[in-house]
Amino acid sequence: MTETLEPRGSLDADAVYVEGDPIFDAKAPAGPISERWDKRKFEAKLVNPANRRKLSVIVVGSGLAGGAGAATLGEAGYNVKCFCYQDSPRRAHSIAAQGGINAAKNYRNDGDSVYRLFYDTVKGGDYRSRESNVYRLAQVSVNIIDQCVAQGVPFAREYGGLLDNRSFGGVQVSRTFYARGQTGQQLLIGAYQALERQINAKTVTMYTRHEMLEVIVHEGRARGIVTRDMVTGKVEAHVADAVVLATGGYGNVFFLSTNAMGCNVTATWRAHRKGAYFANPCYTQIHPTCIPVSGETQSKLTLMSESLRNDGRIWVPKSAADCTKDPRQIPDADRDYYLERIYPSFGNLVPRDIASRAAKYVCDEGRGVGPEVPGQGRRGVYLDFADAINRLGRKAVEAKYGNLFDMYQQITGENPYEVPMRIYPAVHYTMGGLWVDYDLQSSIPGLYVAGEANFSDHGANRLGASALMQGLADGYFVLPNTIADYLADVKHEDLDLSSPAVTEAVSSVNERIETLLSINGSRTVDSFHRELGHIMWEYCGMERTEEGLRKAIGLIRELRDEFWRDVKVTGEAEELNQTLERAGRVADFLELGELMCIDALVRRESCGGHFRAESQTEDGEALRHDDEYAFVSAWEFTGGQPILHKEPLEYEFVEMKQRSYK
């Protein structure tokens, strides 16, 4: 068995894909947007409590979306199996989120509202998200905070006891709730406690150290998954009445990213190969506030929370001659606070895509700081807290950001209280994911997708503090309502583990494992992953061109062919084998990487985090082409040329216009 895709002929944009039927029904209710979610919940069929005990749901992933979803479904009375590849749900990558979670509470009385959060999110996504989904997210955000406070999440509070807020990029209000720089950790512990309560109540069965490697589709419906026990190597099938994927994003296709090294695309990609559409794969978020790359052997990047931009000022020297100087010796008059200069209305709190490109441009001009990267010059800009320390005092800055400053000092050996931080953009989040309708159901009936694993809420660029919001909204409030409508119509019948759908899925997993172990080539898995990441960052990263994307597709095809000829996977299948785990994930990344480049090649516009050099305004800003590209790209897997299904995006409540943060 080989996992390579069939040759697809020339690299002309019109030759690498096939145009399919458009998607006109995303199942969003009609009527006033503020009433749609309530209308959908009322119209959804219910499952009575006695019948819930007969129904089972598999949840893959135990982060904020998966953990919250599994706990809530268990609380409702369904039989839930929850799977994660970590040794504990508490190690899900949601724990790494730092800066905060958005909610339209308007505690600061500064003009915030559900509608303004909706508007900011649509605008921040550069008008490439579905209005109905985004408005629902803004509505539900209010409930999330109450839920988390009730769970004991220790949000920061003001002197009078009220929950504190700070601002994030792309907005002009303070709506971000936070727990110092550990917001993701505290929220995940809250969801974990809810999950553990249901495990104790025996409504949820937890499977740790189990990796999902296949979806079981029976009679057109998702009915289960195939997993590999990562300790013993045992491959087995698990069946249920519905399956939920909450497995996070695919930023590690770039090799270097802010994601945990275990984060991967395998669960969603195996579902894609079984018929689930993959939407907007080229929409990758580049985070502007990361510790710069330090060397060729580095395997991970570290995020510095966007919340730091509330008090830190970003600058580079005005003169390239000053770039090697101690920043404390450069007078204010010789510093270029370029975000404040170019975007005076938002300053250092412009959206992530804007801040990231601006940092790249000043470094391209030769004004970057820090060590020189071979062939690229200096790749860093300063994030300076001197003004904040003088204004607020060191203790106040420590109270807000102390753990982030400590982490930076441990990694770099530099004290950010005394010397400005050095930061540079890095791959962080992926707005693309499996296509879902308003109910979060994929194109495979019975297969639901939650959190970062779906595409639904962020368009072409995610605003900061919205990932935690979406994960908890999907898990606690959306999915439990919409999946009930599906389960109410399902005729419950046990699927025999000896049925062809199950045995074929198990056989395909075993055959793939055997193939990977039998190649016995000369190159390590990581060498292929690193080379793929270099191709993706160079040609499908912050800035893309038609010529570069064509080249990347060819390079990825060649690399994938070489992978299946020359990768070396050591060890055995029936044991703990991390090389085998990584090999399977890299094989899927090699297929995903090509689809990302095809999607970027087809979308001949600059939009959000997807910047095509051929499509920009006179002053270098992203230039959309709404007459041609106001759609969701939903790709169908064929094994040959992928089929593109376009879901038109119609804006009834927000006017589409050129984004401006000046």
Side-chain angles (χ1 to χ4, degrees), residues 107-108 145 149 153-165 177-178:
Y107 280 1
R108 289 288 184 90
I145 303 303
V149 169
V153 173
F155 287 120
R157 293 180 181 269
E158 295 179 330
Y159 178 76
L162 295 177
L163 298 183
D164 197 10
N165 293 126
F177 296 78
Y178 65 97

Side-chain angles (χ1 to χ4, degrees), residues 585-603:
R585 296 166 187 171
V586 172
D588 291 328
F589 278 142
L590 284 163
E591 293 185 5
L592 167 69
E594 181 178 350
L595 184 63
M596 290 173 68
C597 292
I598 292 172
D599 188 42
L601 181 62
V602 169
R603 194 173 283 273

Side-chain angles (χ1 to χ4, degrees), residues 528-600:
F528 282 103
H529 194 181
R530 189 182 296 274
E531 186 173 342
L532 172 65
H534 177 76
I535 295 168
M536 295 300 297
W537 179 249
E538 188 71 21
Y539 301 111
C540 198
M542 268 197 282
E543 187 170 311
R544 308 159 186 188
T545 65
E546 184 163 343
E547 179 184 3
L549 290 165
R550 293 176 189 274
K551 182 176 180 179
I553 295 169
L555 290 173
I556 292 170
R557 290 176 178 177
E558 292 172 4
L559 185 64
R560 187 171 63 242
D561 289 343
E562 185 179 354
F563 176 90
W564 288 104
R565 289 195 315 269
D566 199 31
V567 71
K568 185 174 186 66
V569 181
T570 56
E572 303 293 335
E574 293 79 22
E575 64 181 10
L576 175 65
N577 190 337
Q578 293 183 315
T579 304
L580 176 61
E581 295 162 18
R582 291 198 299 271
R585 296 166 187 171
V586 172
D588 291 328
F589 278 142
L590 284 163
E591 293 185 5
L592 167 69
E594 181 178 350
L595 184 63
M596 290 173 68
C597 292
I598 292 172
D599 188 42

Side-chain angles (χ1 to χ4, degrees), residues 394-410:
R394 175 165 171 161
K395 285 188 177 180
V397 173
E398 285 179 354
K400 282 185 174 182
Y401 311 115
N403 63 304
L404 298 172
F405 278 44
D406 291 345
M407 182 168 65
Y408 180 88
Q409 185 169 3
Q410 288 173 14

Side-chain angles (χ1 to χ4, degrees), residues 139-153:
Q139 280 180 297
V140 169
S141 71
V142 179
N143 305 113
I144 294 171
I145 303 303
D146 297 338
Q147 170 91 2
C148 294
V149 169
Q151 290 175 336
V153 173

Side-chain angles (χ1 to χ4, degrees), residues 364-387:
D364 288 347
E365 292 170 4
R367 295 192 289 141
V369 299
E372 195 154 352
V373 179
Q376 299 183 51
R378 301 181 192 282
R379 295 281 135 179
V381 301
Y382 289 125
L383 179 60
D384 195 337
F385 284 85
D387 285 354

Side-chain angles (χ1 to χ4, degrees), residues 354-464:
I354 306 287
S356 295
R357 277 201 304 277
K360 179 182 185 296
Y361 291 159
V362 295
C363 291
D364 288 347
E365 292 170 4
R367 295 192 289 141
V369 299
E372 195 154 352
V373 179
Q376 299 183 51
R378 301 181 192 282
R379 295 281 135 179
V381 301
Y382 289 125
L383 179 60
D384 195 337
F385 284 85
D387 285 354
I389 291 171
N390 289 335
R391 184 179 75 254
L392 303 171
R394 175 165 171 161
K395 285 188 177 180
V397 173
E398 285 179 354
K400 282 185 174 182
Y401 311 115
N403 63 304
L404 298 172
F405 278 44
D406 291 345
M407 182 168 65
Y408 180 88
Q409 185 169 3
Q410 288 173 14
I411 292 171
T412 66
E414 299 173 0
N415 185 346
Y417 293 105
E418 299 174 0
V419 182
M421 287 184 180
R422 285 180 294 107
I423 57 170
Y424 193 70
V427 172
H428 178 53
Y429 188 91
T430 50
M431 285 74 68
L434 291 186
W435 181 89
V436 291
D437 61 19
Y438 187 72
D439 288 352
L440 303 186
Q441 185 171 216
S442 74
S443 50
I444 300 176
L447 180 67
Y448 288 75
V449 192
E452 190 181 356
N454 73 37
F455 88 99
S456 70
D457 293 349
H458 306 300
N461 176 62
R462 178 177 67 82
L463 290 183

